[in-house]
Amino acid sequence: MTRSDAAPDPATAHAWTALGGDPALLGNVAYRAVSGGLPARLPVAELARATVGVCSLAAAELRARRSGGAVPEVRVDEGAVATAFVSERHLRIDGRRPTNFAPLSGFWRAADGWVRTHANYPHHRARLLAALGLSGDSGPDELAAALAGRPARAIQETVYAGGGLAVAVTEPGESEIPLGELPLVESRWIGEGAPRPLPEAALPASGVRVLDLTRVIAGPVATRTLALLGADVLRVDFPGLPEAPDAHADTGFGKRSAALDLGAPEGRRTLEALLADADVVVTGYRPGALDRFGLAPDALLERHPGLIVAQLCAWGWSGPWAGRRGFDSLVQAATGIAAIEAKAEADADADGHPGVLPAQALDHGTGYLLAAGVLRGLTGRQEVGGGRHLRLSLAGTASWLLRGIAPVPRGGGPAYDPAPWLAETVSGLGTLRYACSPIAFPDGSVDGPLDWARPPGRLGVDAPRWL
């Protein structure tokens, strides 16, 4: 166990400082070590526990401010962290194991290196194949043949121009992404107004209304965490925009889900009515993608002072890649992480296949950081008027992993076992086996890990209203 009276964990201290937290509270975070969780060349375990640690601390801080008491100690179990960071792999739906990557998603040999593709969604698959001049029914063999004779960066730009997703695998230090310029968290207060204190409640985010405009993993992990802590989370999707049902089964815990056509006047009116009573808006789209719907942060905060607007994207909020689509696996490839995590020489394939992190840690880590930022914004709003604008990116988290975290020698601890951190529930999607949340809840009345109030339901079937 890392003791709370010891020197603060460096990664936790860095993340807490980036969130604007009081350094005096860092002694309130302790960790229970395990051996063998999230093994990697890069300090993934340190990143994972730090993001969960600061999120747990932010939750404890908010609850204490609501009650007027002191901030309690939180004790994060690294076994719970390791299990939650691969929650999509532990998920079972009526005993079925979901498929997390489609056949055309992965690493492919190019003429001068490697590329990573992402084709999990039908429209991304179609665009990838069309950009490369392949027929819509092409499979892995045809794709491999089409890529083998082309330079990696030429593939990257050709597919990008066609609306698809492929990036060249880069060596450390050769990334086109300006990693040194990417902050872990960007935060600013906007406008003035009266403080908006929250009454005392059993859960830190009870009574908080969160409008969730996110997809895939990072944003849904953030809003799943806010739902765990008591928030009324309403996810809103665009009709016709595909979402993997299995992904929603993993990250939809605690939420309701509605569909709104924001291109139609009625959809816009409904959205504005939701915004009028919301406390938090979380978005997970490319910079500027939602602006035409009145969801640009400054426009939102002008209409709704006191709102907390939290945004995440793949590649950062400025620079030549800011407007590109991206996923965790692509960011790993384009920032040098995949090259670092390549198999050890003794076990490597003859062609030097790139490697991956033991989890989609950029997604999960950014999700917990985003939730922590929202919780800290709610704490600040207790005493300070105005609204808050938060921005994070997967590439910013990648930069922190590559440049800002040093491995920390830790005692062995017990061998990692995910079993204590798995649970089962019946839902409208079937019987789900799922990973428990790793958030440490400082309340002796809770026996074991805090669980969600509701399992995930079918995507887009709930009424677009607050409870």
Side-chain angles (χ1 to χ4, degrees):
M1 178 77 72
T2 299
R3 294 181 55 83
S4 58
D5 56 357
D9 168 61
T12 305
H14 181 96
W16 187 244
T17 299
L19 291 163
D22 180 359
L25 294 179
L26 283 166
N28 292 46
V29 183
Y31 297 102
R32 178 181 178 272
V34 297
S35 176
L38 301 176
R41 291 187 174 185
L42 288 165
V44 176
E46 287 83 351
L47 177 148
R49 75 173 194 173
T51 59
V52 173
V54 296
C55 191
S56 299
L57 182 57
E61 179 190 36
L62 176 58
R63 187 173 183 228
R65 295 292 180 266
R66 294 182 69 163
S67 67
V71 179
E73 184 178 86
V74 294
R75 294 179 176 267
V76 174
D77 193 296
E78 292 181 9
V81 173
T83 304
F85 262 62
V86 290
S87 62
E88 63 275 10
R89 298 183 202 166
H90 287 297
L91 180 69
R92 299 292 183 272
I93 306 171
D94 289 333
R96 175 179 61 83
R97 182 195 300 267
T99 299
N100 292 314
F101 286 100
L104 300 190
S105 296
F107 292 108
W108 308 88
R109 199 70 168 93
D112 58 352
W114 292 84
V115 294
R116 175 90 194 203
T117 59
H118 195 287
N120 283 8
Y121 292 100
H123 59 298
H124 290 156
R125 180 184 185 280
R127 292 171 186 171
L128 170 69
L129 294 175
L132 297 170
L134 297 173
S135 67
D137 59 355
S138 297
D141 291 343
E142 291 85 356
L143 180 60
L147 297 176
R150 309 187 192 196
R153 292 196 189 277
I155 295 168
Q156 170 185 287
E157 297 307 314
T158 297
V159 173
Y160 166 65
L165 292 158
V167 300
V169 176
T170 65
E171 293 295 325
E174 297 179 2
S175 174
E176 296 179 76
I177 316 303
L179 294 175
E181 303 172 15
L182 295 174
L184 184 59
V185 180
E186 298 177 71
S187 177
R188 60 185 178 126
W189 287 102
I190 299 177
E192 299 179 354
R196 297 174 63 174
L198 294 164
E200 184 174 355
L203 293 173
S206 289
V208 173
R209 290 170 167 171
V210 177
L211 191 62
D212 177 6
L213 297 166
T214 70
R215 292 165 51 76
V216 195
I217 298 177
V221 163
T223 52
R224 177 181 73 180
T225 302
L226 295 172
L228 175 89
L229 296 169
D232 177 14
V233 178
L234 179 64
R235 172 170 168 160
V236 172
D237 283 276
F238 297 82
L241 187 62
E243 174 63 299
D246 291 351
H248 178 62
D250 175 42
T251 58
F253 280 88
K255 312 176 196 179
R256 292 175 298 118
S257 169
L260 276 182
D261 182 1
L262 300 186
E266 181 60 31
R268 293 284 291 277
R269 285 192 293 269
T270 301
L271 176 69
E272 202 60 28
L274 290 168
L275 289 168
D277 292 322
D279 297 285
V280 180
V281 176
V282 185
T283 70
Y285 291 79
R286 290 171 293 153
L290 300 178
D291 290 4
R292 68 187 185 277
F293 303 119
L295 291 167
D298 287 348
L300 268 175
L301 287 160
E302 183 177 352
R303 300 197 312 276
H304 305 286
L307 197 63
I308 295 172
V309 181
Q311 297 180 290
L312 67 89
C313 68
W315 304 106
W317 295 93
S318 61
W321 281 49
R324 297 194 179 197
R325 299 173 180 86
F327 293 87
D328 181 302
S329 58
L330 300 181
V331 177
Q332 288 190 41
T335 57
I337 291 173
I340 292 173
E341 292 294 331
K343 296 179 180 179
E345 184 175 349
D347 300 323
D349 296 336
D351 54 4
H353 197 286
V356 296
L357 297 177
Q360 295 190 70
L362 307 181
D363 266 329
H364 286 270
T366 306
Y368 289 113
L369 288 173
L370 189 66
V374 168
L375 295 166
R376 293 232 62 254
L378 292 166
T379 296
R381 210 174 63 170
Q382 295 279 102
E383 300 176 353
V384 178
R388 193 170 195 183
H389 180 205
L390 298 161
R391 298 198 305 195
L392 293 87
S393 70
L394 302 186
T397 303
S399 176
W400 181 42
L401 176 64
L402 287 163
R403 304 159 59 91
I405 304 178
V408 176
R410 299 195 299 273
Y416 167 58
D417 177 9
W421 308 107
L422 299 175
E424 190 172 283
T425 188
V426 176
S427 77
L429 304 176
T431 299
L432 304 181
R433 191 195 76 176
Y434 62 98
C436 300
S437 173
I439 298 299
F441 189 70
D443 187 340
S445 67
V446 177
D447 183 15
L450 188 65
D451 205 353
W452 288 274
R454 67 176 73 214
R458 291 175 56 205
L459 195 69
V461 301
D462 293 302
R465 60 177 178 81
W466 299 115
L467 293 177

